[in-house]
Amino acid sequence: GQQLNQNPQSMFIQEGEDVSMNCTSSSIFNTWLWYKQDPGEGPVLLIALYKAGELTSNGRLTAQFGITRKDSFLNISASIPSDVGIYFCAGQLGQGAQKLVFGQGTRLTINP
Amino acid sequence: SAVISQKPSRDICQRGTSLTIQCQVDSQVTMMFWYRQQPGQSLTLIATANQGSEATYESGFVIDKFPISRPNLTFSTLTVSNMSPEDSSIYLCSAQYGGNQPQHFGDGTRLSIL
C-alpha cells in the first residue's frame, strides 16, 4: 500500500530558529496536506497544496508540492513556543479516492 | 472554520464490552471518515462512512469489529465491539465539506481498555 516517509521524526531546536521537514512517497498524490496536532486534540489543518510545484504560505509557515508529485516540504520560520507539537503530512489521490495517507509525524520541541 | 464534535472525549472500558462514539458536524458534508491513532503513532484510516449505505472499510478493518452508521449528512457513529486492550487508541472522526476540500478533524475519543 501507499506509504509516506516523513523526516525528521523529531526535532529539538532553539526558539527563533527555522524548521524544515519533508515527506516523500513512492506513489503520486494529487493533494498534499500538512496538519499539526497538539496533545489531547485532533489534527488541525495548516496548509493544503493542490498543484505540482505550488508554494503556499500561512503566516510563518511555507509548504511546497513537489514537481514529481511524490514529495512535499514544510518550513517554519522564526519558531516560537506555541509551534511545539506533532506535524503530519498527508497525501490524497483525489478524483473520487478521498482517503488520506499520513506520514509518521515530526515531533517538534523548542527550547526557550 | 469547521466544527466537528466527538463524544465521548475519553472513556475507560472493560474488555469484552462495546462503545459507540458519536461524531457531529456543524453543516452538511459530502464525506465523513473514521481514523485510529495508536499511542505515539500516526493516523490510519478505518473506513469511509457513506450516507445511507454501508461503510467502506480499509484492509485490516471489518464491519463486525467496527460497525459504522451515517444516517444523515451531519452525523456518524463508530462502534468498537468486543474490546480488548489492543483497541486502546485515539479514534478520530473527519469530514470533507466538498470534493476538493481538505479533511478537518474532531478532537478524538481517547479509549482505554482494561
Side-chain angles (χ1 to χ4, degrees), chain A:
Chain A
Q2 297 144 333
Q3 290 186 340
L4 295 184
N5 294 313
Q6 186 171 348
N7 287 292
Q9 292 186 13
S10 61
M11 300 184 74
F12 298 85
I13 63 168
Q14 296 293 124
E15 183 177 351
E17 289 184 6
D18 297 343
V19 172
S20 183
M21 60 192 77
N22 67 81
C23 268
T24 60
S25 171
S26 58
S27 303
I28 290 174
F29 289 100
N30 290 316
T31 300
W32 282 92
L33 304 167
W34 286 92
Y35 292 88
K36 177 175 183 271
Q37 187 175 28
D38 291 329
E41 299 182 7
V44 174
L45 181 69
L46 299 174
I47 293 179
L49 302 159
Y50 298 103
K51 292 183 182 179
E54 178 181 356
L55 184 71
T56 298
S57 293
N58 177 8
R60 293 177 296 105
L61 278 61
T62 301
Q64 184 157 31
F65 191 146
I67 290 290
T68 65
R69 297 179 179 263
K70 294 182 178 182
D71 63 318
S72 177
F73 72 74
L74 174 71
N75 288 341
I76 306 172
S77 63
S79 59
I80 59 178
S82 62
D83 292 333
V84 166
I86 303 177
Y87 293 80
F88 290 101
C89 64
Q92 187 178 44
L93 285 175
Q95 297 177 345
Q98 302 294 339
K99 66 176 284 186
L100 289 180
V101 179
F102 279 82
Q104 304 98 320
T106 296
R107 181 180 296 273
L108 179 62
T109 303
I110 298 175
N111 299 317

